[in-house]
Amino acid sequence: MKLVKSVMKPAVLAIALSGAAMSTPLWAEESHPDAVQQLISRGVSIDGTFDAPGGMTGYVGNMQGRAVAFYLTSDKQHVVVGPMLDAKGENLTEPKIQELVIGPQNEKAWGQLENSEWVRDGSPEAPVVVYTFTDPNCPYCHRFRQSAEPWIEAGEVQLRHVMVGILKEDSLPKAATILGADDPEQALADNQNQHDQGGIEVDREIVSANARRVQANNQLMSSLGLSATPSTYYRDGNGTVQMKQGAPRPGEMEGIMGTPKP
């Protein structure tokens, strides 16, 4: 592919090159050209490198939880921050970010979600598993569950709700009441069915015994850099873990659920 230009995202560049004093992280001890080291010393972590057009070396990594990419010039004296386009306007950077940064992050997150405190919604025999962070008070979680119902009722998807409590004062107590119920799946359904009337009634005794389980989910959500519910992880047609933060649009549901609407 012919190299045309490198486009800089001002917001990313401003963050990466800000003059704020930061201590050098441990991973910065690895030897890098001085131009790259300038970014590392300002908080950019490096997750991978690749050969780029024009004799450049591509780098991908993270800055404050955001994926970033930059290119080291062939003389190793300069870095250019942002995506690279070819002569056809194709973004050469995004696939590398997906491959080297977002893909591994999402795969790791999937394993963490498997071991988190979740409530199954749907048949245990359903061939498709979808994880979603659910706050009992979240109207968008409620609507997402309504949209997913055809797949759940058809036995095609099990929606695993990772219960969190972040939106309102009683979100954590409600989430703990659901997690600690004798029949968590039924308690989840009760909250869904009663959502317009305020949701499930809090059981203080259950909350006392299960609050830490919800707090662990809250911490997991925060560690993944997520700030909205629902936030949903699913596998696409290639088996790659994808993440959707916020309520999916109607046109996205089939991709998340894995099949056409039943």
Side-chain angles (χ1 to χ4, degrees):
M1 294 183 179
K2 180 181 178 182
L3 175 66
V4 186
K5 60 181 177 178
S6 178
V7 181
M8 300 183 198
K9 290 183 179 178
V12 175
L13 185 61
I15 292 173
L17 299 181
S18 65
M22 298 182 69
S23 59
T24 302
L26 292 176
W27 33 255
E29 295 177 3
E30 183 182 346
S31 177
H32 291 286
D34 290 345
V36 174
Q37 196 66 41
Q38 289 295 323
L39 294 183
I40 292 175
S41 66
R42 287 164 172 78
V44 176
S45 65
I46 295 175
D47 293 330
T49 64
F50 57 94
D51 293 333
M56 290 185 172
T57 301
Y59 289 77
V60 290
N62 275 273
M63 176 68 180
Q64 297 179 353
R66 296 177 57 187
V68 296
F70 58 93
Y71 294 87
L72 177 69
T73 56
S74 57
D75 63 6
K76 302 186 185 301
Q77 297 302 306
H78 306 86
V79 290
V80 183
V81 180
M84 179 183 289
L85 307 181
D86 68 9
K88 297 180 181 179
E90 295 289 332
N91 188 324
L92 306 182
T93 304
E94 185 61 29
K96 289 299 182 181
I97 288 178
Q98 290 289 336
E99 175 191 352
L100 299 174
V101 181
I102 296 176
Q105 284 179 350
N106 286 349
E107 196 65 48
K108 179 182 178 181
W110 189 268
Q112 293 173 295
L113 291 165
E114 286 182 318
N115 294 316
S116 67
E117 299 286 352
W118 48 266
V119 178
R120 188 183 66 247
D121 185 1
S123 170
E125 307 302 323
V128 174
V129 171
V130 175
Y131 289 95
T132 187
F133 283 96
T134 298
D135 186 300
N137 287 316
C138 173
Y140 300 104
C141 301
H142 177 68
R143 292 173 198 170
F144 175 45
R145 173 57 178 82
Q146 288 178 320
S147 298
E149 184 160 356
W151 286 272
I152 295 171
E153 290 299 313
E156 295 183 4
V157 170
Q158 53 170 300
L159 192 57
R160 295 180 175 179
H161 297 260
V162 182
M163 303 303 303
V164 295
I166 59 174
L167 293 181
K168 296 182 179 180
E169 187 175 347
D170 65 348
S171 287
L172 191 150
K174 287 180 180 177
T177 297
I178 293 169
L179 274 178
D182 291 337
D183 186 345
E185 190 169 352
Q186 183 58 55
L188 180 70
D190 290 343
N191 186 74
Q192 176 73 13
N193 295 334
Q194 300 165 21
H195 191 270
D196 291 342
Q197 290 77 46
I200 195 169
E201 184 177 348
V202 170
D203 185 314
R204 294 295 175 185
E205 185 174 344
I206 293 177
V207 171
S208 241
N210 293 275
R212 289 186 179 180
R213 300 170 68 192
V214 181
Q215 290 166 348
N217 286 345
N218 289 354
Q219 291 169 359
L220 173 60
M221 183 177 174
S222 177
S223 74
L224 295 175
L226 304 173
S227 58
T229 53
S231 285
T232 304
Y233 287 79
Y234 62 97
R235 291 193 181 273
D236 63 19
N238 297 319
T240 302
V241 179
Q242 303 287 352
M243 188 274 289
K244 169 66 180 180
Q245 188 165 192
R249 295 186 296 271
E252 296 175 314
M253 286 300 295
E254 290 188 359
I256 294 173
M257 297 292 113
T259 59
K261 185 176 180 178

